[in-house]
Amino acid sequence: MPNNRIITIPIVVIALIVVGDALTVMRPVLLPFVVAVFLSNIFRPLVVYLRKKKIPMAVVLLAVVVVVGGVLFGVALVAISSVQSLVGALPHYAARWNNSLLPGIQSLLSDAPAAMQDQLRALHWSNFVQTSSIMGLLYAGAGGFFSVLSGIGLILLFMLFILGGHGLFEKKIRDAYPHHADRLATVMERIDAKTERYFIAVSLMNLISGAISAVILMAFGVDLALLWGLLTFLVNFIPTIGSLFALALPIGVAFLQFDNISTPIAVAIVLATVQFIWGSVITPRVMGSRLDLSPLLVMISLIFWGWVWGPWGMVLSVPITSMIKIALESLPETKPIGLMMGSGDVKKS
């Protein structure tokens, strides 16, 4: 038995690497489909509700397109206004960095090695931020935006087909596997129910978190408050590390914007406190352990799916891992593995 375990572990590691490489190669086609599958969970309650009202499916799908289009239009407005504000504020940021922040950092590190001192002197604003590079970055961002739009178009197309065929897949499973239909249907229902509740709950919690952050930043007068609120909403879909990005950028801008040091420090303290309370106290109480996953497994899946599919993989890491766990728990042969993947804190219903 010990020898078998010694052989099994390297085989599992090699299999994960091979699967990861295969998923990376298949990313252009597979990723939009997987994202569409999970996004359809957010809109499925709306589709089911409208269908119960005897509204034709074509009208229901048109309503989904209108909702998605309205969200994208709002995001575009925030992005455009934020870019205009950023370009106008750059000269002030440069002066603040060169005349106040950088000298302060150099004085704090006056006893540092000479190599570090040279690196600090190289951080003069004009050495690493130039007008031409900013314009190049904006052009690249515009190109990336249109690239994202094309990807969203494919995701939306997949999502409409998935929502349009709601209920048909379960029927096909029952027709194709009549002897195992009940077990397969139960597994599919558990996966759909858990992922649907997870995405709806986490979307609402992130929306409230982003709105709170935007209001706090507006109250302090921080530039680009709406953009940072939108960023908070988006990055909090990434487990564990998302909130760090939501804090770093607005706090950094606050230090560049204000001539005093007390306001940025106050912004940092208030934002960090709110994010900590929201992420560590309120969100767990509201959501509970909805997907019942081990914290260590969450971190490992975050690394694995981030390696395979980048930021989208980080967002999808938790629900994908939960789907695998539910499938493993549903088979007697693999049920122990599924139970090992759980947090151990949730009582089974």
Side-chain angles (χ1 to χ4, degrees):
M1 183 66 69
N3 291 333
N4 291 336
R5 291 180 178 177
I6 293 173
I7 296 173
T8 301
I9 293 175
I11 292 176
V12 171
V13 172
I14 293 173
L16 287 175
I17 295 174
V18 172
V19 170
D21 285 337
L23 291 172
T24 303
V25 172
M26 299 169 63
R27 173 178 177 171
V29 176
L30 190 57
L31 178 58
F33 177 75
V34 174
V35 173
V37 169
F38 285 110
L39 287 181
S40 65
N41 284 284
I42 297 177
F43 291 95
R44 185 179 291 117
L46 174 63
V47 172
V48 173
Y49 173 78
L50 294 178
R51 289 295 291 161
K52 287 181 178 179
K53 299 294 183 180
K54 307 300 182 182
I55 298 177
M57 180 59 77
V59 178
V60 173
L61 295 181
L62 180 61
V64 173
V65 173
V66 170
V67 171
V68 174
V71 171
L72 292 178
F73 181 72
V75 171
L77 286 180
V78 172
I80 292 171
S81 63
S82 298
V83 168
Q84 293 174 342
S85 301
L86 177 63
V87 171
L90 280 176
H92 175 73
Y93 293 167
R96 170 75 173 153
W97 173 258
N98 290 334
N99 300 329
S100 299
L101 295 180
L102 184 58
I105 296 174
Q106 289 174 334
S107 64
L108 287 175
L109 300 176
S110 58
D111 297 330
M116 183 177 291
Q117 295 288 342
D118 293 337
Q119 293 294 327
L120 287 175
R121 282 190 288 271
L123 290 179
H124 191 276
W125 185 277
S126 60
N127 291 337
F128 64 96
V129 179
Q130 299 178 355
T131 303
S132 59
S133 63
I134 296 238
M135 295 306 297
L137 181 62
L138 292 179
Y139 280 119
F145 177 74
F146 288 111
S147 175
V148 169
L149 282 183
S150 64
I152 289 176
L154 183 59
I155 292 171
L156 180 60
L157 182 63
F158 279 135
M159 188 174 69
L160 292 178
F161 277 105
I162 293 169
L163 292 174
H166 174 62
L168 297 178
F169 185 65
E170 291 81 358
K171 183 179 181 301
K172 290 180 180 179
I173 287 180
R174 292 185 178 277
D175 293 338
Y177 304 98
H179 300 294
H180 305 283
D182 291 337
R183 175 187 286 188
L184 292 174
T186 300
V187 174
M188 295 300 298
E189 288 173 2
R190 286 184 62 199
I191 291 175
D192 285 344
K194 281 206 169 189
T195 53
E196 180 179 305
R197 288 197 300 267
Y198 171 79
F199 271 111
I200 292 176
V202 78
S203 297
L204 290 175
M205 297 302 291
N206 290 353
L207 181 63
I208 297 173
S209 176
I212 292 174
S213 296
V215 169
I216 291 173
L217 294 171
M218 286 180 183
F220 280 101
V222 178
D223 292 341
L224 314 176
L226 286 178
L227 178 64
W228 306 134
L230 176 62
L231 179 70
T232 300
F233 167 74
L234 294 175
V235 300
N236 276 338
F237 281 98
I238 301 176
T240 308
I241 64 174
S243 58
L244 298 179
F245 293 100
L247 291 173
L249 289 176
I251 291 173
V253 167
F255 276 99
L256 290 172
Q257 175 185 349
F258 295 102
D259 294 330
N260 60 77
I261 199 68
S262 58
T263 302
I265 291 177
V267 170
I269 293 173
V270 173
L271 270 186
T273 302
V274 169
Q275 283 290 327
F276 175 78
I277 295 175
W278 190 263
S280 301
V281 179
I282 298 178
T283 299
R285 287 181 177 273
V286 172
M287 294 186 62
S289 299
R290 289 188 177 271
L291 298 181
D292 183 22
L293 293 174
S294 164
L296 177 60
L297 181 63
V298 170
M299 181 58 65
I300 293 174
S301 65
L302 180 67
I303 296 172
F304 176 79
W305 290 107
W307 164 57
V308 172
W309 285 342
W312 274 116
M314 293 181 178
V315 172
L316 298 173
S317 61
V318 171
I320 289 177
T321 307
S322 177
M323 289 177 60
I324 296 172
K325 175 180 177 294
I326 293 172
L328 292 174
E329 285 180 340
S330 302
L331 298 174
E333 298 81 5
T334 57
K335 186 173 182 179
I337 300 176
L339 294 176
M340 289 293 293
M341 296 172 65
S343 65
D345 297 330
V346 179
K347 294 182 180 179
K348 303 298 179 183
S349 57

